[in-house]
């Protein structure tokens, strides 16, 4: 279960990075088209913002698994085990709260059919569903971390894994 | 002060001090405070504030500059920079230690990250300088101090975040950071030169070679070409008006891939590692930014900025005294909070105070970046200290001692900027009006 989760979240992290790279290529293409041919790809900015938001949330779980989220480690250096459980508990509650809030936001966009209001008129339910999914995965990853702690397995992986 | 102001501050210390992840901890502080003191749909507010916090198009520059740094880290770019600079700096008082400072300054011109600057330059120079008999403490110190220039010298990731959160022109901020960044680098170099005169035994010995130094200098200059190309692509495209700061970041990513292809370091492995590395940093920063956006809104509902503003105004401090008070607060905050968290937490409170005292929004941006730089080398939570500890594999207290003189130089430099604000505002006013 943990291995499958690791593979899945790593894939999502890779996908996020690749999508951001693709946005960079498209933006450069837009600069060339705009300056040489006077053609502007307006939709790119909106797409770029949605890709960035999605990348932030889809990468959250793998970042946690590889120790990428920063935290104050003062207490942990004195009470390693106790501080880990305390931080994990608080983190899990907050992560659940964030997930619930973002799922509700997605649901409200779905019900109202709200769109971005730009030329593309993108339905906001799509990007909001992705970020809600990413937030839920983070909560699941925190649970997995608790399982690792209970089994005395390392709770974090080397980022180069 | 009202309880609605004091409780969030207590929660800040308790929740972040407990070891909760900063992004989630900031959410917790806002949620608990609002649930206690205000009757409102907090979940709706949280979701909308997080959404709004990340939906600024200017913020797109952030992941792109991070991606560029990740790509550069996997290229041979820094090796070339070292080889080209070495013959030029070898005979200065202080010798090759200046490579740390000049290398970091040049790398900062194309990278927006302090940690990326420190680790990229340190990866090459630490062993090289040790082998040549340079004092380890000075090696770590110069790297710690100059590595922080990644935040001050444009393009800067932290400046983008400040610009977005405070609604300040990122282009103006970039221009404002250049002069202080270069002056600070010169201060570091001056310190190294003084140390070289006072304690020459710490600086190894210049290699006696029969080579023609001028020939070496010029034959190695082409190794600077990738750097020149990248700098031209980033700064040239921005200041010529062809591209916005965000678009310049995209140009930087594509140009870096091009450089990697030419020098032969481009591979699927390098690209996928850079993609995952980018995603990790973007997620970490993004969660903090989104959470800070919510906390900022929550603090507004609690009336916290106004209450603190009224309290400090009641002290009737002269502008310079206010800045000195802020320096003390930031140094204390910097010793237990990470730089990015300091920016997002303090902007709503400190910015109005500083503006009321007659300082400029752009000036405060540079001041704040310098305070974040100090936080980078303040124990126990200093990102640059951790990066150096990982590179040097030495105890943290040794790295902290090494960084102390550079910490003091930076502190003095901040006071100089408070006394002479035009050092910051001159260039942006000249370039952008």
């Amino acid at each position: 279960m943990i291995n499958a989760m690791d593979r899945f979240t790593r894939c999502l992290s890779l996908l996020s990075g690749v999508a951001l790279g693709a946005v960079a290529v498209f933006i450069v293409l837009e600069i060339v088209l705009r300056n040489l041919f006077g053609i502007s790809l307006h939709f790119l900015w909106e797409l770029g913002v949605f890709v960035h938001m999605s990348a932030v949330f889809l990468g959250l779980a793998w970042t946690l698994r590889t120790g990428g989220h920063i935290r104050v480690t003062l207490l942990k250096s004195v009470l390693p085990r106790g501080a880990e459980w305390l931080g994990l508990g608080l983190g899990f509650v907050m992560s659940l709260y964030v997930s619930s809030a973002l799922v509700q936001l997605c649901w409200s966009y779905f019900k109202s059919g709200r769109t971005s209001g730009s030329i593309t008129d993108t339905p906001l339910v799509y990007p909001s569903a992705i970020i809600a999914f990413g937030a839920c995965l983070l909560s699941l990853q925190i649970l997995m971390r608790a399982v690792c702690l209970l089994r005395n397995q390392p709770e974090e992986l080397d980022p180069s894994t | 002060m009202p309880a609605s102001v004091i409780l969030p501050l207590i929660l800040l210390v308790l929740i972040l001090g407990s070891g909760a992840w900063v992004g989630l901890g900031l959410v917790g502080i806002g949620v608990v405070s609002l649930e206690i003191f205000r009757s409102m749909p907090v979940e709706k507010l949280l979701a909308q504030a997080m959404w709004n916090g990340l939906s600024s198009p200017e913020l797109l520059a952030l992941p792109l500059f991070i991606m560029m740094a990740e790509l550069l880290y996997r290229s041979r770019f820094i090796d070339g920079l070292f080889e080209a600079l070495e013959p030029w700096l070898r005979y200065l008082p202080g010798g090759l230690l200046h490579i740390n400072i000049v290398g970091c300054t040049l790398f900062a011109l194309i990278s927006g990250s302090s940690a990326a600057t420190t680790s990229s330059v340190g990866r090459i120079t630490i062993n090289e300088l040790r082998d040549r008999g340079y004092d380890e403490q000075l090696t770590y110190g110069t790297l710690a101090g100059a590595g922080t220039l990644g935040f001050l010298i444009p393009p800067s990731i932290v400046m983008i975040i400040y610009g977005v959160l405070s609604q300040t022109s990122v282009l103006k901020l970039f221009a404002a950071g250049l002069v202080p960044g270069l002056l600070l680098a010169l201060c570091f170099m001056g310190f190294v030169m003084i140390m070289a005169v006072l304690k020459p035994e710490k600086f190894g010995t210049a290699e006696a070679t029969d080579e023609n130094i001028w020939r070496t200098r010029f034959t190695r200059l082409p190794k600077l070409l990738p750097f020149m190309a990248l700098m031209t692509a980033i700064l040239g495209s921005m200041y010529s008006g062809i591209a916005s700061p965000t678009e310049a970041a995209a140009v930087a990513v594509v140009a870096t891939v091009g450089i990697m292809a030419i020098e032969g370091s481009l591979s699927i492995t390098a690209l996928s590692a850079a993609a995952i590395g980018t995603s990790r940093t973007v997620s970490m920063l993004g969660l903090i930014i989104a959470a800070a956006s919510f906390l900022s809104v929550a603090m507004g509902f609690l009336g916290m900025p106004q209450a603190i503003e009224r309290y400090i105004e009641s002290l009737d401090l002269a502008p310079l005294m206010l800045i000195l008070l802020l320096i003390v607060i930031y140094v204390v905050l910097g010793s237990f909070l990470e730089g990015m968290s300091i920016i997002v937490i303090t902007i709503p409170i400190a910015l109005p105070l500083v503006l009321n005292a007659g300082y400029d929004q752009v000036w405060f941006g540079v001041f704040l970046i310098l305070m974040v730089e100090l936080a980078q080398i303040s124990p126990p939570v200093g990102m640059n200290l951790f990066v150096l500890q990982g590179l040097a594999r030495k105890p943290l207290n040794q790295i902290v001692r090494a960084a102390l003189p550079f910490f003091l130089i930076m502190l003095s430099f901040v006071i100089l900027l408070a006394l002479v604000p035009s050092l910051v505002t001159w260039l942006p006013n000249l370039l952008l009006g």
Side-chain angles (χ1 to χ4, degrees):
Chain A
M1 176 72 178
I2 290 175
N3 284 343
M5 177 81 174
D6 285 344
R7 275 196 296 272
F8 181 57
T9 54
R10 188 179 181 278
C11 278
L12 288 180
S13 181
L14 178 64
L15 180 71
S16 304
V18 171
L20 286 169
V23 168
V25 173
F26 280 118
I27 289 178
V28 172
L29 187 68
E30 206 258 357
I31 296 170
V32 173
L33 287 174
R34 191 180 63 218
N35 285 290
L36 293 183
F37 306 105
I39 302 168
S40 186
L41 310 174
H42 298 290
F43 67 91
L44 256 184
W45 286 105
E46 193 175 283
L47 178 75
V49 168
F50 289 147
V51 168
H52 176 218
M53 291 169 89
S54 306
V56 166
F57 280 86
L58 290 184
L60 285 177
W62 179 249
T63 306
L64 183 88
R65 182 67 169 136
T66 51
H69 288 296
I70 53 171
R71 62 203 298 196
V72 179
T73 51
L74 212 57
L75 185 63
K76 204 179 172 191
S77 59
V78 188
L79 280 169
R81 193 85 178 167
E84 178 59 39
W85 277 111
L86 181 62
L88 193 144
L90 283 172
F92 182 62
V93 172
M94 281 309 122
S95 181
L96 272 186
Y97 197 92
V98 170
S99 307
S100 155
L102 291 174
V103 168
Q104 285 180 48
L105 180 79
C106 173
W107 182 245
S108 74
Y109 284 157
F110 174 70
K111 278 203 305 188
S112 65
R114 198 171 148 189
T115 62
S116 60
S118 63
I119 299 171
T120 50
D121 232 11
T122 312
L124 293 181
V125 63
Y126 299 127
S128 64
I130 295 173
I131 67 169
F133 176 66
C136 293
L137 266 185
L138 176 67
S139 304
L140 191 58
Q141 187 75 69
I142 298 176
L143 268 186
M144 294 290 179
R145 191 181 174 97
V147 172
C148 287
L149 270 176
L150 286 172
R151 288 183 182 173
N152 279 325
Q153 289 174 344
E155 64 266 27
E156 285 173 6
L157 296 177
D158 185 334
S160 56
T161 308
Chain B
M1 257 194 250
S4 59
V5 172
I6 293 170
L7 182 77
L9 293 176
I10 295 172
L11 285 175
L12 181 82
V13 176
L14 289 181
I15 293 184
L16 294 189
S18 74
W21 294 281
V22 171
L24 294 172
L26 295 181
V27 169
I29 297 160
V31 168
V32 174
S33 305
L34 284 177
E35 293 284 4
I36 292 175
F37 293 107
R38 296 286 179 272
S39 173
M40 59 195 310
V42 180
E43 272 191 328
K44 267 188 183 170
L45 186 73
L46 169 68
Q48 202 57 57
M50 289 184 96
W51 177 277
N52 293 345
L54 288 175
S55 59
S56 161
E58 286 80 23
L59 209 55
L60 192 53
L62 191 70
L64 300 180
F65 276 127
I66 291 168
M67 179 167 277
M68 182 197 67
E70 287 286 341
L71 288 165
L72 280 179
Y73 186 72
R74 287 162 180 87
S75 73
R76 287 198 282 272
F77 180 87
I78 278 288
D79 306 62
L81 201 63
F82 184 87
E83 283 179 43
L85 291 176
E86 192 260 354
W88 291 92
L89 299 171
R90 195 189 298 172
Y91 297 112
L92 279 180
L96 292 180
L97 266 188
H98 292 292
I99 276 204
N100 278 347
I101 301 166
V102 179
C104 284
T105 308
L106 294 181
F107 196 76
L109 272 168
I110 46 158
S111 154
S113 155
S114 172
T117 303
T118 310
S119 65
S120 301
V121 177
R123 188 170 54 92
I124 304 292
T125 61
I126 284 180
N127 292 335
E128 195 78 27
L129 290 170
R130 186 188 297 143
D131 293 347
R132 296 187 192 205
Y134 283 83
D135 181 61
E136 285 189 343
Q137 288 295 94
L138 280 168
T139 303
Y140 305 147
T142 44
L143 271 174
T148 64
L149 293 172
F151 280 163
L152 188 59
I153 295 179
S156 157
I157 288 168
V158 180
M159 275 185 183
I160 295 168
I161 293 172
Y162 172 80
V164 170
L165 293 180
S166 67
Q167 296 178 337
T168 310
S169 155
V170 173
L171 213 53
K172 270 195 172 182
L173 284 168
F174 279 3
L178 195 59
V179 173
L182 296 179
L183 282 178
L184 189 55
L186 284 177
C187 291
F188 291 152
M189 289 181 78
F191 173 75
V192 168
M193 286 183 191
I194 292 168
M195 288 299 289
V197 173
L198 295 178
K199 296 186 174 176
E201 72 278 5
K202 292 187 172 224
F203 287 81
T205 46
E207 283 172 41
T209 56
D210 55 357
E211 65 178 333
N212 181 336
I213 187 68
W214 282 102
R215 192 177 154 191
T216 310
R217 283 173 178 166
F218 285 105
T219 51
R220 288 195 191 172
L221 268 187
K223 291 182 186 292
L224 279 180
L225 278 177
F227 165 75
M228 298 302 289
L230 209 47
M231 196 179 73
T232 310
I234 298 169
L235 298 182
S237 64
M238 255 191 308
Y239 287 102
S240 65
I242 294 173
S244 66
T246 308
E247 290 172 335
V251 171
V253 170
V254 174
T256 308
V257 172
I259 287 169
M260 289 174 79
I262 292 168
E263 68 176 22
S265 56
L266 187 67
S267 64
I268 296 292
T269 315
L271 285 178
S272 60
I276 292 178
T278 304
S279 163
R280 287 180 76 238
T281 312
V282 165
S283 287
M284 181 268 284
L285 289 177
L287 181 63
I288 292 177
I289 293 169
S293 301
F294 163 68
L295 188 61
S296 178
V297 173
M299 285 200 287
F301 275 107
L302 294 166
M304 190 191 246
Q306 297 87 339
I308 293 181
E309 204 178 322
R310 276 196 300 276
Y311 174 71
I312 293 185
E313 269 173 4
S314 72
L315 298 176
D316 202 21
L317 296 170
L320 192 61
M321 287 305 292
L322 171 71
I323 296 302
L324 289 177
L325 176 68
L326 285 178
I327 289 174
V328 173
I329 293 171
Y330 277 118
V331 167
V332 173
L333 281 177
S335 59
F336 66 92
L337 274 181
E338 199 274 334
M340 204 66 68
S341 323
I342 294 175
I343 286 200
V344 294
I345 290 169
T346 60
I347 281 180
I349 297 166
L351 184 60
L353 287 172
V354 174
L355 293 182
N356 280 348
Y359 286 95
D360 182 86
Q361 193 152 338
V362 173
W363 180 89
F364 181 64
V366 171
F367 168 84
L368 197 53
I369 305 301
L370 273 162
M371 299 319 296
V372 168
E373 289 188 339
L374 281 173
Q376 294 291 107
I377 55 173
S378 301
V381 187
M383 197 68 92
N384 271 27
L385 298 177
F386 295 147
V387 169
L388 273 173
Q389 190 192 14
L391 285 173
R393 301 191 186 286
K394 298 281 178 188
L396 189 63
N397 59 0
Q398 187 183 340
I399 308 284
V400 171
R401 276 201 308 276
L404 185 64
F406 296 87
F407 180 91
L408 295 175
I409 291 172
M410 288 162 73
L411 205 55
S412 314
F413 190 75
V414 179
I415 296 170
L416 174 73
L417 291 190
L419 292 169
V420 193
S422 57
L423 284 174
V424 174
T425 52
W426 169 76
L427 189 61
N429 288 342
L430 183 78
L431 290 176
L432 303 157

